Structure formats: structure tokens, C-alpha cells
Amino acid sequence: MTQQAEPHPIAEEAPDEAMDAASGPCCEAPHRAPGDDGFGAAFCASMAMLCAEIVVAATAGVLVLLSREHDGLPNGPVLIAAVALGALLLTVLLSGFVTAAAVMPTLTLARRTARARKRSDSALWTAGAATAVAAAAVVVFGGVAALGSLSLARPLSYPIWWGALTVVLVPAALAGRAAARRVRESRSGSVARRVTRDGLLAWLVVGALGAGAYGTGLVSVYEPPRLTRSDLAGTWTDGRGGTVKLDSDGNAIAEGLDNFIWDGTGKDRPKDCDGSGTWTPVKDGSRVQGVSMRISSCELSRDWSVIGTEKEPRIFHEIGKPGSGKRYVLTKVVKHKNRHREK
């Protein structure tokens, strides 16, 4: 005789339980993972703050440098886009490095120091830790630079670098602290998103102020002096006894002029150049951009670029590797006529 199986006593309740289980995660507020101390959020917020600082400071610096002497700006949309993209990539990489090397150690130092003193991790602890980390970074990198060059920098440069690095680190550390606390307290919102928004607004304000200053003529973009061949003719000096006289007929006479020659050890050593040679203006179309000077007696063969102003023109060439920033500059000797009143 076959027995018929009785239905399961909770079969009717199974669909309700399954529905509750499926709808539970969607209706409940998300919880942070156990042990999540907000490291990722702090890292992102710090990078966002550093990127904002770099972009705003770089924009302000470019606006200021436009009115100062410079060698020229990139021409063409492709070159400008490439420079902007490279600068943006460098900004992201630099902000990530500084965050990992300085900001995150700052947050750790502030938190552990506050716990050791049995106090809350306040913003003042974070700012104090940032000054300590900045000082340590200056000591480390200053020591490495001194060992590499076998000489110390000027004493005043170390506190300047410490102050500048502190100013950079404090906002980034405070943003990282706020992001980490928000995660630990399970609060909604993103500090990195807010920092990005505020940084974009600050960048737009700086750009608008700069555009207004240049657009209204309050500040003018620097342009190299417009010189002619006759303006180049005359005596030029380096201020240390070295001179070169450029005659209007194309002859050049050098006396004690520094001629930088590669010495085989990675440096250009200056040697006195005395003798005669020739010179010609370097032109771009109808505009004079520099001077090409050749003095065979001391093997001097250089192209000099024009800078300065029309009243005080100067010519220069780079020393050492391209982009070193070192220049050998000659200033034209201008003779001022003295007017004496007749008695």
C-alpha cells in the first residue's frame, strides 16, 4: 500500500521569505565593510586637492609669467593640446606621489599621536603632523641634493622650501582626514567630488581675472624687443669684464668674452675669448630674433637670442644641456649724453 507524502508545513511561507531576502539588500542603507578606515577615500580626496592646488597655482603662474621675459609660447593647436595633456598627466602622477609619500604618512602620524595622548584626532593634529612631515621631507631631499652636488644650498632656501611644502600638504591632509572620517561614520557624499568642484570654480575665477587684466590692457604680454641691424651694432658686456664690439659692417671684436667649452666631465668651462670675427643678425622673416657670432681665434660659434626691452636690449645663449636654465647674458652698453647748461 503506497503512502502519499504530506506537503511540507512551511511550503506556503517560502515565497514570502524568499521575497523578503531578495528585497532586503535593496531597501536597507549600505554599510561600510568591517575594518574600512577610509584609506581609499582619503587617498582620492588628497589627490583631488593636490591636483586643484597645482592647476590653480600653475594657471596663476602662467598669467604672471606672460608679462615677464620668456622665450616664447607654444604655437599651433596640436602643440598646445600636447603640452596641456602632458602637464595634466604630470599633475596626476605628481599628486599621487605626494599623497603616497607625504599626505598618508601625515594622516597616520596625526592619528597615532592623538591616540597616544588620548585625545581626539582633530584638524590641529593633522596640521601639526603636516608641518613635521614637511620638515622631514626637506631634510631628506636636502641631504640627498647636498650629497649629489657636494655642497649645501643657501641657508634661507631650506625654511622657504619647508614653508612652501607645508602650505601644500595642509589642505591635502585636511581633505584626506575629512574623507576618511566620512567613511568611518558611514556618511554619504564624496569629499573628492566636492574638492574637484571647488577647485574647478577657483580655476575659472583665476582665469577670468587674468583674462580681464590682459584684455583690458591693465597688463601686457611680454614681447621681445624689435631691433634692427643698426640696433645690434655696438658694444655688449657681460658685466664681469668680458665685452664684444659688433661693428655695423659685420665685424666682431671680443675681449675677455666667456666661451663655454665642454670639458668632458659633464660641465661647460668658460675660457676667455679674445680676437676678431664676424656677426650677422638672425631673422625670422623680417624680424630680428638674435645674433649669429663667429670668432675663429677662440673657436667661438654661437647663436644668441634677443631679450630685454628696446631701451635695454640683451642677448644670451644657454649654457650646458638644453633646458638647463643657465644663461650667459650680454647687455648692450648705452652711452647717455650729459647735457650741461651753459652759464
Side-chain angles (χ1 to χ4, degrees):
M1 184 175 182
T2 60
Q3 295 181 355
Q4 188 174 3
E6 296 181 0
H8 197 277
I10 61 173
E12 297 180 356
E13 300 177 0
D16 295 336
E17 293 182 356
M19 185 178 297
D20 293 340
S23 62
C26 296
C27 299
E28 295 178 359
H31 297 282
R32 68 182 181 92
D36 187 359
D37 58 354
F39 179 89
F43 201 99
C44 292
S46 172
M47 284 191 62
M49 179 62 75
L50 289 172
C51 286
E53 291 182 39
I54 294 173
V55 171
V56 172
T59 302
V62 169
L63 290 173
V64 172
L65 291 177
L66 284 176
S67 62
R68 305 292 180 88
E69 291 183 359
H70 55 267
D71 298 336
L73 301 175
N75 296 322
V78 176
L79 182 58
I80 294 175
V83 171
L85 183 60
L88 182 60
L89 178 61
L90 181 62
T91 297
V92 174
L93 294 176
L94 182 61
S95 64
F97 171 77
V98 174
T99 296
V103 176
M104 301 312 293
T106 295
L107 297 179
T108 302
L109 177 62
R111 186 168 56 252
R112 292 184 177 179
T113 305
R115 288 179 180 177
R117 299 294 182 89
K118 296 181 180 180
R119 296 184 180 181
S120 60
D121 181 12
S122 64
L124 291 178
W125 285 102
T126 302
T131 60
V133 171
V138 170
V139 170
V140 171
F141 286 101
V144 172
L147 290 176
S149 61
L150 299 179
S151 62
L152 293 173
R154 290 179 297 178
L156 186 60
S157 62
Y158 294 109
I160 291 177
W161 278 108
W162 171 75
L165 187 57
T166 300
V167 171
V168 171
L169 289 182
V170 168
L174 292 177
R177 172 184 174 275
R181 288 177 62 87
R182 185 175 293 274
V183 170
R184 290 196 296 267
E185 296 172 2
S186 299
R187 290 187 291 169
S188 60
S190 172
V191 175
R193 189 180 300 114
R194 184 182 305 174
V195 168
T196 302
R197 179 200 63 194
D198 295 343
L200 179 60
L201 291 176
W203 177 73
L204 291 175
V205 170
V206 171
L209 292 176
Y214 284 100
T216 57
L218 183 62
V219 184
S220 301
V221 178
Y222 168 79
E223 292 185 0
R226 297 179 179 272
L227 304 179
T228 62
R229 185 185 182 95
S230 59
D231 294 328
L232 295 174
T235 303
W236 299 77
T237 177
D238 60 5
R240 301 187 301 272
T243 61
V244 59
K245 183 180 180 181
L246 306 180
D247 294 333
S248 57
D249 57 1
N251 292 324
I253 302 175
E255 294 182 3
L257 200 67
D258 287 344
N259 184 23
F260 292 85
I261 301 176
W262 186 264
D263 64 356
T265 63
K267 296 182 179 180
D268 286 340
R269 302 290 183 181
K271 293 185 178 180
D272 287 344
C273 177
D274 299 288
S276 60
T278 60
W279 72 275
T280 56
V282 178
K283 295 184 178 181
D284 181 10
S286 60
R287 183 169 183 173
V288 175
Q289 287 190 328
V291 178
S292 179
M293 194 183 308
R294 305 288 184 268
I295 299 178
S296 57
S297 60
C298 52
E299 299 181 354
L300 187 149
S301 179
R302 295 281 188 180
D303 289 342
W304 307 67
S305 300
V306 175
I307 55 172
T309 62
E310 293 183 0
K311 294 182 178 181
E312 296 182 355
R314 300 193 301 274
I315 58 176
F316 77 93
H317 68 76
E318 277 192 320
I319 302 173
K321 298 180 180 179
S324 64
K326 299 179 180 180
R327 296 177 173 182
Y328 182 49
V329 183
L330 301 180
T331 304
K332 188 175 182 180
V333 177
V334 180
K335 296 181 180 180
H336 299 280
K337 296 181 179 180
N338 295 324
R339 296 179 180 179
H340 300 281
R341 294 180 179 180
E342 295 182 2
K343 295 182 179 179

